[in-house]
Amino acid sequence: MNFIPVIDLAHGLVVHARGGQRETYQPLQSILCRSSKPIDVVAGLLDLHPFTHLYIADLDAIQGRPVQSAVVQQLHVHFPGLQLWIDAGIRDAGQFRALKQVVPVTLVLGSETLSNTSPLEDPEIYETAVLSLDFKPPFFLGPPTLLATPALWPERVIAMTLDRVGKHRGPDLERLRQLHRTAPAVALYAAGGVRNRDDLLALQTMGCAGVLLASALHDGRLTADLLAGMTT
């Protein structure tokens, strides 16, 4: 199972995501780094564990402001060994293609901001994108047709439960089981709520391909020894 740290970017800084209430997010305070500057935060994460991927949520872009492409470029240059996944609030195929020319990353299609399912009907996008199915219970955030049509889902799918992000409530195991039953061939990534080793073991046992992590890394509940022990 791939452990993927997450950074949430707002106005050039990393912020602490809690429950999807983005207007309340504050600059990150972490035991891993001394500032909320993206370079410092990512360096602290890599000192903790040799992560191979980094997930970037560009909260400015998700909320309709310009993509923080300079920050993403800076991270790409400073950490060339990291595979960067970014959710930049893509709404349509044209925006996907334009952004692909600007930042050398894997683009995430967040259902929350998709206007419709047409980008996933484009073979080029379908083959390269990661899809994030975004939930804020009891609601699915996105085109209803997308959730009801697993044939539209690409190879990699994130199940993002926003109201569990930063809330220490544990992952939404039942939703993950349901999605796995719906599309067993998809590589499913869990996002939101992971607290400890037991949560990681539950996701591993379920067959998740990976898990997105943030709060439990920055407050020390997921230690270097724990992560190393689960990847050997």
Side-chain angles (χ1 to χ4, degrees):
M1 187 167 66
N2 193 2
F3 300 142
I4 303 178
V6 175
I7 61 171
D8 293 271
L9 293 179
H11 308 297
L13 297 177
V14 179
V15 296
H16 190 171
R18 293 181 185 273
Q21 302 297 323
R22 294 172 182 139
E23 66 279 1
T24 68
Y25 290 179
Q26 298 297 313
L28 179 71
Q29 295 184 0
S30 170
I31 66 171
L32 304 178
C33 52
R34 294 184 176 182
S35 84
S36 59
K37 295 178 180 178
I39 293 290
D40 293 341
V41 174
V42 176
L45 288 165
L46 292 176
D47 284 342
L48 177 71
H49 184 76
F51 297 107
T52 59
H53 292 65
L54 176 71
Y55 183 101
I56 302 168
D58 185 338
L59 301 182
D60 289 5
I62 289 170
Q63 296 176 94
R65 294 188 289 273
V67 176
Q68 298 175 79
S69 55
V71 176
V72 177
Q73 292 280 9
Q74 185 183 42
L75 291 172
H76 173 69
V77 170
H78 276 76
F79 306 102
L82 270 181
Q83 296 186 45
L84 304 181
W85 291 7
I86 180 170
D87 181 349
I90 292 170
R91 288 160 175 78
D92 54 47
Q95 191 177 5
F96 182 98
R97 289 197 174 84
L99 188 56
K100 195 72 173 175
Q101 302 301 313
V102 176
V103 289
V105 299
T106 295
L107 296 179
V108 176
L109 295 175
S111 66
E112 175 186 4
T113 56
L114 281 179
S115 303
N116 51 55
T117 62
S118 62
L120 288 163
E121 296 164 13
D122 181 311
E124 178 188 356
I125 295 175
Y126 179 86
E127 291 171 8
T128 61
V130 175
L131 172 64
S132 179
L133 296 174
D134 302 327
F135 299 89
K136 198 167 186 181
F139 304 109
F140 170 65
L141 305 180
T145 305
L146 178 58
L147 186 60
T149 314
L152 291 171
W153 303 355
E155 180 180 345
R156 296 166 295 183
V157 173
I158 298 166
M160 178 74 72
T161 306
L162 287 166
D163 70 333
R164 292 180 182 245
V165 169
K167 291 291 189 178
H168 314 313
R169 294 174 54 198
D172 191 346
L173 297 177
E174 182 51 43
R175 188 179 306 281
L176 289 160
R177 291 189 187 100
Q178 180 182 357
L179 293 172
H180 184 65
R181 288 192 297 266
T182 300
V186 159
L188 188 62
Y189 294 79
V194 170
R195 302 161 293 188
N196 50 39
R197 183 175 182 271
D198 288 344
D199 288 340
L200 294 177
L201 287 173
L203 296 172
Q204 191 174 58
T205 300
M206 188 184 302
C208 286
V211 55
L212 275 57
L213 302 168
S215 296
L217 299 174
H218 293 293
D219 64 19
R221 284 173 295 144
L222 295 179
T223 64
D225 287 345
L226 186 156
L227 294 170
M230 293 195 67
T231 54
T232 57

